[in-house]
Amino acid sequence: MKAQNPQRTTVMAGPWLLRRVIHRSRQLSDDVTTLHASFYRCQCHYATTVTDGYNNKNENEKSNKWFTLPPFTATVNGVALGREIAGVETENSTNNMTALKWIQRCFPELPKSLVQKLFRLRQVRRESANVEEQKPKRVSAKESMNIGDRIFLPITVEKSPSEKVVDYPSSEEERKFVHRLELYKDPEIIVVNKPPGMPVQGGIGIKRSLDELAAKYMRHEYSEAPRLVHRLDRDCSGVLVMGRTQLSASALHSIFREKTFGTQNEDIESKKRILQKKYWALVIGCPRRSGGIISAPLGKLVLDNGKSERITIMSDVRAPSAQYAVTEYRIIGSSEKGYTWLELSPLTGRKHQLRVHCAEALGTPILGDYKYGWQAHRKLKHLHLPTSAVNLGVQITRQKTDPFNLRLGNGSISDKQPHLHLHCKEMVLPNISLALQQAQAVSDADLADVESIKLVAPLPYHMQKSWDCLSS
């Protein structure tokens, strides 16, 4: 049998029934809307509560991811202090500290390259003390610090390695040699008698340098390594000043810098010289005058397609590469054998200034300077040392060790290839230690007339032997 399909019945609802259904559906819709709104409010409240808890958790985790430096306090500005000592008017010698310098002062063992990288990656924050909202914001390296500001660094800097320096094994022989170089030491500076042949600063092809040895053997319980504030050529010897702290180094560097620019802008005869340097040099030949002032601009010449360079006197003072250079000189001794002892006082600090002025301006190159006086060395006749000088050389070889193979007993006027005879014998500079004490004790202290200290370095062995040879 076939199943029968059910019949569909259509019922027509009356108007009253239709109105009731519509009313009932509106009431149900209002209830659903009310329920949905209540559920939405509950859901928003729950989301807000969870979000606030998540944010608080993030803030706690964030605080654990930052290394906080001490709040910035008013400090003496080394650069402004140096300018004030040099007689240059400055607006303020305090509170001129950038974010980069504050990090270096609080965290000196942190490599400078890493600090600069953190600034480039915008990972350094500053919390300002001058606003109510204590929210750290990104800060650039050159932005000035205000009193109470705090710097935040990534917590990973605590585990960052120090500057990658080749760590040579410590040697008692080296330590004694380096300590014998010390001429003067106070809380702010350390002065050494640099030996000839030792480079001042490391670089390509340089295994051991004076700044590396000072960092290893001359800290004297200081956390910071001594810092260079001026330079001496590798083959030059004599007084070399280093700052024991970043503050003293900044002040000294400013003084050396202002010495050059002050000489250029002022009358060199009437200008008070707060920094005086006197070199002794043995030159080939004899200047026409017994003394005077050399004012000859210097410039750089590039040779061999950039492979080498040399400094020379520029004929055109207006040339872009010309640098103002002034040297005062006087004869302190002459010899019938064709040599002259000169005292040289550089009033500016240009590269190879004394060597070029002696060779090109005076026509008397320094003995042992094969770069600027090679032609004069071809005609030299070697002299024989007196017995006293020979004995001195033997005594030096026996008593003084030379762990760096500098050949300190060789290179005199009697040797076939003399070493450079240029020595920074004397230096007079302001007492930075006393100046810093006065600046920290009195905010408006007058530092223009701070007392000076005089430093004297004895001649190196090869120059002393040449002196004895020419004096006999």
Side-chain angles (χ1 to χ4, degrees):
M1 294 180 61
K2 295 183 179 178
Q4 297 181 357
N5 294 329
Q7 297 180 356
R8 298 180 179 178
T9 305
T10 303
V11 179
M12 298 295 294
W16 64 272
L17 181 61
L18 183 60
R19 288 195 299 269
R20 188 170 182 177
V21 170
I22 294 174
H23 176 74
R24 183 66 177 173
S25 102
R26 286 179 178 175
Q27 185 178 2
L28 180 62
S29 176
D30 293 340
D31 293 341
V32 171
T33 303
T34 303
L35 180 64
H36 182 268
S38 300
F39 176 76
Y40 179 76
R41 287 194 298 270
C42 180
Q43 185 181 26
C44 290
H45 174 73
Y46 173 77
T48 304
T49 304
V50 172
T51 303
D52 291 342
Y54 181 75
N55 288 339
N56 292 334
K57 182 179 180 181
N58 277 353
E59 289 180 1
N60 293 333
E61 291 180 355
K62 187 176 181 180
S63 63
N64 294 331
K65 292 183 179 180
W66 294 99
F67 179 79
T68 308
L69 298 184
F72 173 69
T73 56
T75 56
V76 177
N77 179 9
V79 176
L81 177 67
R83 289 172 59 87
E84 186 176 351
I85 295 175
V88 180
E89 295 183 0
T90 55
E91 296 181 357
N92 191 6
S93 60
T94 59
N95 268 3
N96 188 11
M97 177 72 68
T98 63
L100 174 62
K101 292 180 180 180
W102 183 244
I103 294 175
Q104 292 175 337
R105 173 168 296 185
C106 297
F107 212 156
E109 62 272 16
L110 194 65
K112 185 176 180 180
S113 58
L114 177 59
V115 178
Q116 293 173 339
K117 182 178 180 181
L118 293 176
F119 277 110
R120 288 197 305 269
L121 297 178
R122 305 179 70 185
Q123 294 182 356
V124 182
R125 303 288 191 272
R126 178 180 64 178
E127 182 180 84
S128 179
N130 297 333
V131 295
E132 296 181 357
E133 184 181 0
Q134 299 293 327
K135 183 178 180 181
K137 296 182 179 180
R138 291 187 179 95
V139 63
S140 63
K142 295 184 179 180
E143 287 190 38
S144 299
M145 298 286 292
N146 298 316
I147 303 298
D149 289 357
R150 292 195 301 172
I151 292 292
F152 296 85
L153 301 175
I155 195 64
T156 53
V157 299
E158 289 186 310
K159 301 180 180 179
S160 300
S162 301
E163 291 282 0
K164 295 183 178 179
V165 179
V166 179
D167 188 15
Y168 293 94
S170 298
S171 167
E172 183 65 16
E173 187 180 11
E174 290 183 359
R175 186 190 67 80
K176 291 181 179 180
F177 179 88
V178 173
H179 282 186
R180 282 198 300 266
L181 301 178
E182 294 183 8
L183 295 173
Y184 174 83
K185 180 179 64 176
D186 66 22
E188 299 299 337
I189 70 171
I190 186 169
V191 184
V192 298
N193 185 8
K194 176 194 169 301
M198 176 174 285
V200 170
Q201 195 170 23
I204 299 176
I206 297 177
K207 294 182 178 180
R208 309 300 297 273
S209 59
L210 191 57
D211 62 340
E212 177 253 327
L213 294 173
K216 191 169 188 177
Y217 298 111
M218 291 186 179
R219 289 179 182 261
H220 297 292
E221 300 180 356
Y222 273 47
S223 60
E224 302 179 62
R227 292 174 169 86
L228 297 171
V229 297
H230 68 112
R231 302 289 188 272
L232 288 178
D233 291 343
R234 178 172 187 163
D235 296 324
C236 184
S237 59
V239 178
L240 182 73
V241 182
M242 293 181 286
R244 301 189 68 185
T245 64
Q246 184 180 11
L247 180 59
S248 61
S250 299
L252 285 168
H253 188 270
S254 179
I255 291 174
F256 276 85
R257 180 178 180 274
E258 290 301 329
K259 167 208 167 188
T260 292
F261 290 96
T263 305
Q264 182 175 357
N265 298 326
E266 301 288 343
D267 182 8
I268 59 178
E269 294 292 340
S270 60
K271 178 70 174 179
K272 178 184 177 182
R273 302 176 189 175
I274 62 163
L275 177 64
Q276 303 175 30
K277 294 190 291 183
K278 294 181 180 180
Y279 289 73
W280 277 23
L282 180 60
V283 298
I284 304 172
C286 183
R288 295 181 179 179
R289 298 179 180 179
S290 60
I293 294 178
I294 305 169
S295 179
L298 303 178
K300 181 188 299 183
L301 293 179
V302 180
L303 308 173
D304 299 332
N305 296 325
K307 295 181 181 180
S308 63
E309 61 182 34
R310 61 179 290 137
I311 308 298
T312 186
I313 293 179
M314 302 293 292
S315 57
D316 186 4
V317 182
R318 296 170 296 179
S321 61
Q323 291 184 319
Y324 183 77
V326 181
T327 301
E328 187 176 6
Y329 75 95
R330 71 180 183 92
I331 295 177
I332 57 177
S334 58
S335 171
E336 297 178 354
K337 301 172 184 178
Y339 299 93
T340 304
W341 287 98
L342 296 182
E343 182 184 79
L344 305 170
S345 299
L347 306 186
T348 54
R350 306 302 184 188
K351 182 178 180 180
H352 296 176
Q353 174 178 323
L354 300 181
R355 298 164 61 182
V356 176
H357 277 178
C358 285
E360 298 187 10
L362 297 180
T364 56
I366 300 175
L367 181 65
D369 188 359
Y370 304 99
K371 186 180 185 69
Y372 299 105
W374 64 273
Q375 291 182 341
H377 284 80
R378 295 175 58 183
K379 305 176 182 178
L380 279 182
K381 294 182 179 180
H382 304 293
L383 303 178
H384 296 285
L385 286 174
T387 306
S388 60
V390 174
N391 294 334
L392 176 62
V394 174
Q395 185 179 3
I396 291 170
T397 305
R398 291 178 180 177
Q399 295 183 358
K400 304 294 184 181
T401 57
D402 185 6
F404 304 104
N405 194 26
L406 300 176
R407 299 181 301 156
L408 298 178
N410 301 328
S412 68
I413 195 172
S414 64
D415 292 329
K416 294 182 179 180
Q417 190 170 2
H419 294 171
L420 182 68
H421 282 56
L422 180 62
H423 176 73
C424 183
K425 185 171 178 56
E426 182 181 312
M427 183 180 297
V428 178
L429 75 161
N431 190 332
I432 295 298
S433 181
L434 181 60
L436 288 176
Q437 292 178 9
Q438 294 178 359
Q440 293 170 351
V442 183
S443 60
D444 56 347
D446 184 10
L447 303 177
D449 295 326
V450 66
E451 68 178 30
S452 300
I453 55 177
K454 183 178 180 179
L455 308 165
V456 180
L459 291 174
Y461 308 128
H462 71 287
M463 291 184 67
Q464 184 63 52
K465 289 196 295 184
S466 297
W467 177 275
D468 295 338
C469 179
L470 295 175
S471 300
S472 60

